């Protein structure tokens, strides 16, 4: 079945994107099982897609494997040109891709447009970076030897992308892999597979050779992940999602010592010191907390505010949060879309109930909207403390707990007291403090006086149980390259 009218009425190039289940062009065989994709704002059915299982995954891996050596043998310039063409097509089709994204994921259209532009930026960045893969010569310790290092593509890469950024995460993983000379098999999240399908149609138009990019549509619970992790033709797995699933994939990859790139959960502290510009901190907190309705792994999870500026911050922050309109992502006033599903809603409610039972106070919000969908009011909680679940678990929703603190050393200890280490933010102006705090925070990324830091030019990734490896920047390419040391003797 093609995508439904509920989706095509938003599209300009109706013909092109009403065939996102045209699998042959996406490099994968069809299936007789299916699964449905819904709009989380309205509950409307958007598409019925083939649920491709383990056999189809195996076939897609075979295609990627067969295409691997030819793709790797092209010049870097040829791979770069294909990425450029794909970049340009994505830019040209921004309206349609954003509409598909909003329909299946729910985020406001302006955020969807910004995500598509971020996705295009990754393709552009790695189209450029493809031409800059360098090796190394080493001064040999004896005169009769020459030593050098070359970099080669790792091989077939299995990628699994999440529902919260269903376009930019596809680009963030695939573009460095393709630039490095790897071929890929991608499984997008079952809630949001359509924008990935549309991007793959554009990849076909960009002229990637057959078998280089392969898409697997699959509902949860099938064995696609297992096949990707255990098939010896796949040499690397790149996954963005929960720490729990990351652990499972690691276990599945252990047998073959398969390389893994993992971008997992977070528990970002957002610290406002008493020398901060409070208005700027409020702006940053709105962005770090409420972008994508709080459904990002770098969302501010715990907002720590120093005593001297606590009252001013809370008052200004709550005033701003009350103005955030919740609604269908296609409506022009909506700043916050729905949560992805009813489980997400239940988790947010459980976090709030736990905080209230332990003395937390609701300053605004705190309830689901009574319209039957998964909309939740943007919420601010005060009087929160580190013994609450929200201080330790990823909220993944529009709930901002504010914790008052007095002492700078104590707040750093609390900020670091977590299994996660993805992103941290702080606002301060004293330079000595800025350096000391950025070095003391045990996180892969630290934002100083900003609530947003994701960029194609920078290495995105975490430490501790937030992941392994980096995506974006020149470092993102290294994850898809093997180093080979070559030694010539008898000279
Ligand atoms: C994520 O939540 O995984 C990505 C967020 C971002 O790119 O800013």
């Amino acid at each position: 079945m093609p995508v439904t009218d509920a989706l095509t009425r938003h599209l300009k190039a109706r013909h092109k994107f009403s065939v996102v289940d045209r699998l042959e062009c996406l490099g994968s065989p069809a299936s007789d099982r299916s699964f449905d994709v819904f709009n989380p704002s309205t509950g409307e059915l958007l598409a019925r897609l083939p649920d491709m299982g383990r056999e189809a995954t195996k076939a897609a891996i075979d295609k990627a494997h067969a295409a691997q050596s030819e793709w790797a043998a092209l010049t870097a310039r040829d791979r770069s040109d294909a990425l450029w063409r794909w970049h340009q097509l994505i830019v040209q089709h921004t309206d349609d891709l954003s509409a598909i994204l909003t329909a299946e994921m729910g985020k406001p259209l302006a955020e969807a447009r910004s995500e598509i532009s971020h996705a295009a930026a990754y393709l552009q960045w790695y189209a450029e970076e493809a031409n800059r893969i360098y090796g190394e010569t080493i001064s040999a310790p004896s005169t009769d030897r020459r030593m050098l290092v070359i970099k080669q593509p790792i091989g077939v890469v299995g990628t699994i992308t999440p529902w919260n950024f269903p376009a930019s995460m596809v680009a963030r993983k695939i573009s460095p892999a393709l630039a490095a000379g790897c071929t890929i098999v991608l499984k997008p999240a079952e809630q949001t597979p359509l924008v990935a399908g549309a991007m793959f149609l554009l990849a076909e138009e960009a002229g990637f050779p057959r078998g280089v990019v392969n898409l697997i549509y699959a509902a949860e619970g099938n064995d696609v992940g297992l096949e990707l992790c255990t098939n010896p033709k796949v040499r690397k797995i790149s996954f963005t999602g929960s720490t729990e699933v990351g652990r499972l994939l690691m276990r599945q990859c252990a047998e073959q010592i398969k390389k893994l790139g993992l971008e997992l959960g977070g528990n970002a502290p957002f610290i406002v010191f008493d020398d901060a510009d409070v208005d700027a901190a409020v702006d940053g907190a709105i962005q770090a907390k409420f972008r994508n309705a709080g459904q990002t792994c770098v969302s501010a999870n715990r907002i720590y505010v120093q005593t001297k500026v606590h009252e001013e911050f809370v008052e200004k922050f709550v005033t701003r949060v009350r103005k955030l309109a919740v609604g269908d992502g296609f409506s022009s006033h909506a700043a916050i879309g729905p949560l992805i599903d009813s489980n997400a809603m239940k988790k947010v409610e459980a976090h709030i109930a736990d905080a209230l039972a332990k003395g937390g106070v609701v300053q605004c919000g705190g309830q689901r909207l009574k319209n039957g969908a998964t909309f939740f009011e943007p919420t601010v909680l005060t009087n929160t403390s580190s013994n609450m679940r929200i201080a330790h678990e990823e909220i993944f929703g529009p709930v901002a707990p504010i914790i008052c603190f007095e002492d700078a050393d104590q707040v750093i200890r609390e900020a670091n007291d977590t299994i996660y280490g993805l992103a941290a933010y702080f606002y301060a102006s004293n330079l000595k403090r800025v350096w000391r705090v950025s070095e003391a925070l045990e996180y892969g990324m630290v934002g100083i006086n900003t609530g947003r830091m994701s960029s194609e030019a920078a290495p995105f990734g975490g430490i501790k149980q937030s992941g392994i490896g980096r995506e974006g920047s020149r470092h993102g390419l290294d994850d898809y390259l093997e180093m080979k040391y070559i030694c010539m003797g008898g000279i």
Side-chain angles (χ1 to χ4, degrees):
M1 170 173 139
V3 294
T4 64
D5 281 352
L7 179 55
T8 52
R9 70 169 179 260
H10 294 295
L11 303 180
K12 290 194 168 138
R14 281 165 201 252
H15 174 67
K16 178 178 281 176
F17 294 114
S18 6
V19 287
V20 287
D21 57 345
R22 210 178 67 201
L23 290 175
E24 201 29 45
C25 70
L26 306 178
S28 302
S31 153
D32 47 11
R33 293 191 312 260
S34 65
F35 68 105
D36 293 337
V37 183
F38 296 97
N39 178 332
S41 286
T42 61
E44 283 174 303
L45 177 68
L46 297 175
R48 177 157 296 157
L49 298 181
D51 185 2
M52 303 158 74
R54 196 159 181 173
E55 283 310 306
T57 307
K58 217 180 267 180
I61 293 169
D62 286 344
K63 284 189 184 164
H65 190 251
Q68 171 61 49
S69 47
E70 252 179 72
W71 179 244
L74 290 182
T75 63
R77 175 66 68 196
D78 286 337
R79 288 196 296 274
S80 166
D81 287 348
L83 283 162
W84 267 113
R85 289 193 296 273
W86 196 13
H87 160 78
Q88 277 153 3
L89 286 165
I90 286 181
V91 171
Q92 265 168 36
H93 291 282
T94 295
D95 288 348
D96 282 341
L97 295 171
S98 317
I100 295 171
L101 207 169
T102 290
E104 66 179 345
M105 196 269 145
K107 68 178 63 173
L109 200 51
E111 280 192 34
R113 291 185 71 84
S114 148
E115 183 178 340
I116 298 301
S117 125
H118 197 196
Y122 279 107
L123 293 169
Q124 179 178 23
W125 180 272
Y126 283 107
E128 291 160 348
E129 212 55 41
N131 292 304
R132 324 239 178 278
I133 298 172
Y134 302 116
E136 191 178 322
T137 53
I138 298 167
S139 299
S142 60
T143 53
D144 64 340
R145 288 175 168 244
R146 297 294 178 270
M147 296 174 164
L148 61 140
V149 172
I150 61 168
K151 302 245 182 104
Q152 292 178 305
I154 189 163
V156 176
V157 179
T159 57
I160 304 177
T161 48
W163 52 262
N164 61 343
F165 289 91
S168 57
M169 294 306 107
V170 168
R172 188 147 93 184
K173 292 181 183 313
I174 291 186
S175 51
L178 294 175
C182 301
T183 55
I184 65 104
V185 177
L186 174 97
K187 181 198 134 13
E190 58 276 14
Q191 298 95 330
T192 56
L194 300 174
V195 75
M199 287 169 73
F200 271 59
L201 284 175
L202 296 177
E204 188 203 30
E205 202 171 317
F208 285 97
R210 276 187 91 69
V212 170
V213 292
N214 304 274
L215 180 67
I216 293 291
Y217 288 134
E220 207 174 8
N222 65 32
D223 294 332
V224 172
L226 183 63
E227 182 61 30
L228 289 173
C229 290
T230 54
N231 189 314
K233 289 180 180 163
V234 176
R235 301 293 295 275
K236 178 188 162 98
I237 296 292
S238 175
F239 168 73
T240 294
S242 69
T243 296
E244 191 190 339
V245 175
R247 277 190 205 106
L248 172 73
L249 297 177
M250 250 182 135
R251 281 196 292 273
Q252 291 174 344
C253 285
E255 193 58 35
Q256 292 169 18
I257 321 286
K258 194 163 287 187
K259 250 196 170 181
L260 273 162
L262 299 174
E263 206 260 272
L264 307 175
N267 180 9
F270 184 105
I271 309 170
V272 184
F273 288 99
D274 55 14
D275 57 330
D277 172 339
V278 174
D279 292 314
V282 168
D283 279 346
I286 293 282
Q287 196 167 46
K289 177 70 255 183
F290 294 105
R291 181 167 68 104
N292 207 13
Q295 301 173 113
T296 93
C297 51
V298 291
S299 289
N301 215 53
R302 306 165 277 162
I303 302 181
Y304 293 97
V305 186
Q306 204 157 11
T307 340
K308 213 168 111 193
V309 291
H310 180 262
E311 200 179 317
E312 180 187 355
F313 179 88
V314 171
E315 190 191 316
K316 290 181 169 170
F317 186 61
V318 170
T319 306
R320 287 280 299 279
V321 174
R322 283 189 205 280
K323 291 186 186 144
L324 294 173
V326 184
D328 187 317
F330 286 107
S331 91
S332 57
H333 70 278
I336 308 238
L339 296 182
I340 192 68
D341 57 26
S342 57
N343 285 337
M345 188 93 123
K346 284 184 202 142
K347 186 172 164 208
V348 162
E349 286 175 332
H351 276 136
I352 293 178
D354 173 76
L356 297 187
K358 292 174 181 155
V361 175
V362 175
Q363 295 292 336
C364 64
Q367 304 288 330
R368 58 170 75 191
L369 261 58
K370 294 184 181 32
N371 59 3
T374 52
F375 293 105
F376 201 89
E377 291 174 340
T379 300
V380 180
L381 299 174
T382 52
N383 207 30
T384 52
S385 55
S386 53
N387 67 339
M388 297 174 179
R389 279 180 62 193
I390 33 174
H392 299 285
E393 296 173 18
E394 199 171 28
I395 302 171
F396 240 65
V399 181
I402 300 180
I403 304 173
C404 189
F405 75 93
E406 282 196 21
D407 177 66
D409 291 333
Q410 169 221 339
V411 82
I412 290 169
R413 272 195 305 278
E414 278 193 34
N416 288 340
D417 182 20
T418 169
I419 58 164
Y420 298 109
L422 189 58
Y425 308 84
F426 72 92
Y427 277 69
S429 59
N430 177 303
L431 269 185
K432 199 168 153 189
R433 168 175 276 169
V434 162
W435 282 111
R436 206 170 58 84
V437 174
S438 14
E439 287 165 11
L441 286 168
E442 295 167 358
Y443 288 84
M445 299 176 282
V446 176
I448 308 165
N449 298 334
T450 178
R452 185 160 181 188
M453 43 183 162
S454 185
S455 160
E456 69 282 2
F460 189 103
I463 60 172
K464 293 156 86 177
Q465 294 187 32
S466 284
I468 300 174
R470 292 294 181 271
E471 295 183 324
S473 80
R474 68 187 167 87
H475 302 290
L477 206 52
D478 283 341
D479 270 25
Y480 297 93
L481 293 165
E482 292 283 19
M483 211 186 272
K484 184 182 282 173
Y485 158 50
I486 299 177
C487 177
M488 187 166 179
I491 294 170

